[in-house]
Amino acid sequence: MVEAWRTGITTYDEKNIWIRGYEVGALMQRATFAETIFLLHAGRMPSQQEGKLLDAILISSADHGPGSPSAATARLACSGNRGSVSSAIAAGILAIGDQHGGAGMACMETIAEGVALAKTEGVSLEAAAEMLVDAYRARGERLAGMGHRQHSTDPRKAILFGMAESYGLAGDGVRFMLALEAAVAAKVKPLPINIDGVLAAILYDLGFPPIMGRLIFIIGRTAGLSAEVAEELAREKAMRIKVPVTYDGPPPRDLP
């Protein structure tokens, strides 16, 4: 006998669907999409402030132009296979990783490490941040959530951190990331907290596990990828993307 799958997320019968115990029709009429995402992942309905903050995070990560790795990959896949929007969007999602959009997971782990270090060593978050910067430099490792190719200051940081503060939801996660930014500027060079670092700090303070740092970016960016693919189909010809290539291999030669 095959053992049944187990889930604590969603169930249904012939006439009803329940998500985490809430009837889907009630959610459709009284909850937002962001609140439902919170419910799906946290197992509880968020407060009004938590729901607004998660909504803002999803908006902040929705799109960053067609040149971002995920959007460029989605457009390239769509250019060569215009019959499948799902494969193009999936290709864009597959481009999300440690260097693009997925660093929030590693950043949440760093935040947890820093907060724990402050407690075990009996030092401030600022001192713990300096200790971590020294440790990462000694190991030659890069700190996730820091630096941006286009922005000297990520315009989304002040808004999201400001919302978290005004809602009373900013905690050790936000404080540690700000301390880390200052420590990096003093010991290495000025590097802005990027969107991965911002959402990592806030998600940490909301009580989510590290994997949420990657999942939330994927959820938000999927909306932008669908728009990028739709525009590619509407405005561009098939196979229009041509990547300049310079060959620097051996010249033509004969087999021995």
Side-chain angles (χ1 to χ4, degrees), residues 142-155:
R142 179 181 177 184
L143 283 161
M146 309 292 296
H148 201 286
R149 293 187 301 168
Q150 278 82 36
H151 305 299
S152 57
T153 299
D154 195 312

Side-chain angles (χ1 to χ4, degrees), residues 170-218:
D172 285 346
V174 171
R175 286 191 286 271
F176 180 79
M177 279 307 296
L178 291 172
L180 190 64
E181 183 179 45
V184 169
K187 290 177 173 289
V188 186
K189 64 178 180 178
L191 289 174
I193 302 174
N194 57 38
I195 191 59
D196 295 321
V198 173
L199 67 85
I202 294 174
L203 292 173
Y204 177 89
D205 287 338
L206 291 176
F208 286 106
I211 193 173
M212 201 65 170
R214 184 164 297 188
L215 294 178
I216 281 296
F217 185 89
I218 291 172

Side-chain angles (χ1 to χ4, degrees), residues 14 21 104 155-156 190:
E14 190 173 329
R156 298 163 289 189

